Amino acid sequence: MANVVVVGAQWGDEGKGKVVDIYTEYADEIVRYQGGNNAGHTLVVGDEKVVLHLIPSGVLHAGKRCVIGNGVVLDPEVFIMEVNRLKAAGRLEDDSTLLLSESLHIIMPYHKAIDIAREAKSGDKKIGTTGRGIGPCYEDKIGRRGVRLMDLIDPVAFSRKLRENLEEKNAILERLGEEPLNYNEIYRTYQDFAEILKKYMADTSLVLSKSVAAGKKLLFEGAQGTLLDVDHGTYPFVTSSSTCAGGAATGTGVSPREIHEVVGISKAYVTRVGSGPFPTELLEETGEKLRQVGGEFGATTGRPRRCGWFDAMVIRYAVRINGLTGIALTKLDVLSDFETIKVCTGYTFEGQALETLPAKLETFENCVPVYEELPGWNTDITGVRSFDQLPENAKKYVKRLEELAGCSIVMVSVGPRRDQTMMLKNPFGE
């Protein structure tokens, strides 16, 4: 038996959805442990593209139980729309296999309104949020003002919390120059949501602990990436939750002792969305080429992603922080049309080599990447189905990244479809 955590090893958008989709074949239950609908996982099934924002990617496999844990913040409207879309497409015939933690926090209209208003007034200091209310919802969670799912389905408790919170939130909105929100309108809308959500509610920590005791295989799915972790990322240009492997325990109520493998997902280059330091960013035609060939536009917002060369400093950091036991390398095919490919092997700051990523933002913003140049392969590899069939320079590139990371590459992807993936080692041990 093995329980596996999948994490982003860069700044998010690494292709976690596809990897989770592939690993789901070997798992019994798939658990989302943090974040909200500010992230999207794009999967290609046959010729169909499926984008999921809240529901675990494992929902596309019949008979697998999907759990949204207590570490997630849930927008009821988005969740319900996602369920309805999946049902309409014939991809969710039995929604009894979908569970919501009774302790997860609910995104309210005032969270979204405050999120958008703050960002609009930030000028050149914008964080780059999606405006989905994720950060303000986590603020209320930490400030002990949050509305949990168990509160939402209790009309009395919900009414009391809504009145208390609106008094404060409307004062904030008015200071930000926005109109106050109406209690009656929100109450009616959210009680309608409660009627739908209550059938999915469960003590998911207890459910999962019973699954572990029964020898079931769990697959934990996060959103975003290591460098967006609220504690370990490029603060303050981060998300508001624990995106690293440790978040799988706190965000689900499953003991850390029950996590056996941690697979970090990494592109063969690097991207990030929003503001913040990005040492290997390419601002000229090479970066635009990566963006266009790689289709680097956000699944949730459509925003163009910033693109850069592979950064071994970031990957080594992700290996250490998450305790990675393997790396799944995605989008190797995007590099097929480059004569030479650069890889960042380290940073210098004011002429001195750095051992790891600097915690201080101003230092990170002024790091100078040290590059190594490798030959490209100038061959379409999207049809390759085994590692041995890759061009020699492509194999050398993968092996070099493995050496620089200090961690085994256990999967290589050469296209968006399930069959364009080479599994070099299965973390479930099969």
Side-chain angles (χ1 to χ4, degrees):
M1 181 197 75
N3 297 322
V4 179
V5 177
V6 167
V7 299
Q10 297 165 319
W11 275 280
D13 306 307
E14 301 95 345
K16 296 179 293 298
K18 177 187 175 180
V19 175
V20 170
D21 179 54
I22 291 169
Y23 285 160
T24 293
E25 180 182 342
Y26 309 97
D28 299 301
E29 302 184 6
I30 301 85
V31 192
R32 170 79 181 270
Y33 64 84
Q34 52 77 220
N37 60 300
N38 55 335
H41 288 170
T42 302
L43 303 97
V44 177
V45 183
D47 295 324
E48 182 185 357
K49 180 187 286 188
V50 180
V51 179
L52 299 170
H53 299 279
L54 281 169
I55 297 175
S57 307
V59 73
L60 301 183
H61 295 253
K64 307 289 184 175
R65 182 152 67 185
C66 293
V67 177
I68 297 181
N70 56 275
V72 173
V73 292
L74 185 115
D75 186 322
E77 183 176 14
V78 173
F79 173 78
I80 292 166
M81 287 173 58
E82 202 159 279
V83 167
N84 290 340
R85 277 201 306 270
L86 288 166
K87 286 182 176 180
R91 297 196 175 278
L92 184 60
E93 296 178 0
D94 179 13
D95 62 1
S96 67
T97 59
L98 182 57
L99 299 181
L100 299 176
S101 169
E102 62 186 358
S103 299
L104 62 74
H105 282 247
I106 300 296
I107 295 173
M108 301 296 296
Y110 48 77
H111 292 137
K112 290 183 272 191
I114 290 172
D115 199 2
I116 293 168
R118 281 178 179 165
E119 191 78 347
K121 291 185 178 297
S122 296
D124 60 0
K125 295 181 179 174
K126 282 183 170 64
I127 297 296
T129 77
T130 59
R132 301 314 201 257
I134 311 300
C137 187
Y138 276 114
E139 286 178 36
D140 278 357
K141 176 179 180 176
I142 299 303
R144 301 179 295 279
R145 298 179 297 272
V147 175
R148 296 185 290 176
L149 180 55
M150 66 177 77
D151 301 319
L152 180 64
I153 68 163
D154 180 339
V156 175
F158 179 64
S159 175
R160 175 179 56 81
K161 288 203 167 195
L162 179 58
R163 286 189 187 278
E164 291 172 354
N165 285 343
L166 266 184
E167 184 176 350
E168 177 191 40
K169 306 306 181 187
N170 278 339
I172 293 172
L173 285 170
E174 288 173 346
R175 284 200 302 272
L176 291 169
E178 303 295 326
E179 292 294 317
L181 301 177
N182 181 270
Y183 164 86
N184 290 326
E185 185 178 322
I186 296 173
Y187 181 82
R188 286 194 300 268
T189 300
Y190 273 67
Q191 283 304 286
D192 289 344
F193 292 154
E195 281 300 307
I196 298 171
L197 295 183
K198 65 183 181 181
K199 73 172 183 176
Y200 301 104
M201 189 179 80
D203 180 346
T204 53
S205 174
L206 179 61
V207 168
L208 293 171
S209 70
K210 288 181 177 179
S211 296
V212 170
K216 298 286 183 68
K217 297 175 183 178
L218 306 186
L219 175 60
F220 297 90
E221 172 184 7
Q224 289 97 19
T226 298
L227 273 292
L228 293 180
D229 186 279
V230 69
D231 287 297
H232 303 292
T234 51
Y235 191 90
F237 298 100
V238 294
T239 193
S240 303
S241 57
S242 299
T243 64
C244 292
T250 57
T252 63
V254 171
S255 165
R257 295 174 62 184
E258 303 300 342
I259 294 171
H260 308 112
E261 300 282 336
V262 183
V263 178
I265 317 305
S266 168
K267 284 176 181 168
Y269 49 101
V270 188
T271 64
R272 85 170 290 174
V273 173
S275 305
F278 187 2
T280 68
E281 183 173 12
L282 296 165
L283 298 173
E284 27 58 68
E285 62 182 28
T286 304
E288 185 59 30
K289 181 177 179 179
L290 281 172
R291 183 179 299 114
Q292 295 300 327
V293 175
E296 297 298 352
F297 301 89
T300 298
T301 63
R303 290 184 295 180
R305 296 176 185 139
R306 300 157 65 190
C307 298
W309 294 121
F310 185 89
D311 190 330
M313 286 285 276
V314 165
I315 293 300
R316 286 196 291 269
Y317 182 78
V319 170
R320 175 168 64 86
I321 292 294
N322 294 291
L324 296 186
T325 57
I327 294 170
L329 190 70
T330 63
K331 293 200 166 186
L332 183 64
D333 54 297
V334 174
L335 299 178
S336 292
D337 195 29
F338 288 86
E339 290 289 335
T340 58
I341 303 166
K342 289 185 178 180
V343 175
C344 170
T345 59
Y347 303 155
T348 63
F349 176 70
E350 296 182 347
Q352 298 296 313
L354 299 183
E355 183 178 5
T356 188
L357 304 186
K360 189 175 181 180
L361 183 68
E362 291 76 12
T363 303
F364 210 152
E365 289 176 328
N366 291 287
C367 284
V368 177
V370 177
Y371 286 114
E372 177 179 302
E373 199 164 282
L374 300 172
W377 43 94
N378 295 109
T379 304
D380 181 6
I381 60 173
T382 56
V384 173
R385 295 296 177 267
S386 74
F387 187 79
D388 289 341
Q389 292 175 353
L390 284 171
E392 199 60 34
N393 283 349
K395 287 190 283 189
K396 287 179 179 178
Y397 182 76
V398 173
K399 289 297 183 184
R400 183 56 180 148
L401 299 193
E402 189 175 65
E403 291 171 1
L404 290 168
C407 182
S408 299
I409 290 177
V410 297
M411 180 186 286
V412 177
S413 172
V414 293
R417 298 195 312 272
R418 288 172 177 168
D419 65 345
Q420 292 177 300
T421 311
M422 305 162 227
M423 192 182 303
L424 309 182
K425 178 185 175 184
N426 189 335
F428 286 97
E430 300 188 18

